[in-house]
Amino acid sequence: MDEGMVFVLIILFAFVLPIVLIGTWTSHKKEMAKVNANLNISEKENIQNELASVKTRLEVLEAIVTDKKYQLHQEITELKAVD
């Protein structure tokens, strides 16, 4: 191998290859950030939907527990348990 070829290989490995690798790595990081942002939006929507469902269920349970018939039934059951 002549000196010119060695010089070209040194330049290639010392400068060009790291630049290409760094460019590829930063591009990959940007793509992953976009994917994560989309997932975060989807996760937030799922959590909001689940929270709305839990609130609805809680409202139903509150309505049942605060109902006079339910309270009367509970008192009767407690009285029966004492006997």
Side-chain angles (χ1 to χ4, degrees):
M1 228 192 266
D2 63 339
E3 290 179 16
M5 185 67 134
V6 172
F7 181 72
V8 169
L9 288 175
I10 290 173
I11 296 294
L12 180 69
F13 285 110
F15 296 105
V16 176
L17 186 61
I19 291 171
V20 169
L21 291 176
I22 291 171
T24 304
W25 181 73
T26 55
S27 173
H28 173 72
K29 290 301 246 182
K30 287 179 185 177
E31 282 296 317
M32 292 307 295
K34 288 179 186 176
V35 169
N36 285 335
N38 290 339
L39 286 178
N40 289 337
I41 291 170
S42 175
E43 288 173 355
K44 287 178 186 177
E45 289 175 357
N46 289 340
I47 290 171
Q48 288 174 343
N49 290 339
E50 187 173 346
L51 181 60
S53 173
V54 169
K55 284 181 180 179
T56 304
R57 292 172 57 194
L58 182 61
E59 289 172 1
V60 169
L61 289 173
E62 285 175 345
I64 291 171
V65 171
T66 57
D67 184 36
K68 299 243 184 224
K69 292 178 185 177
Y70 179 81
Q71 291 175 351
L72 180 61
H73 184 305
Q74 286 294 102
E75 291 174 9
I76 293 171
T77 304
E78 289 174 7
L79 288 173
K80 287 180 180 179
V82 172
D83 292 336

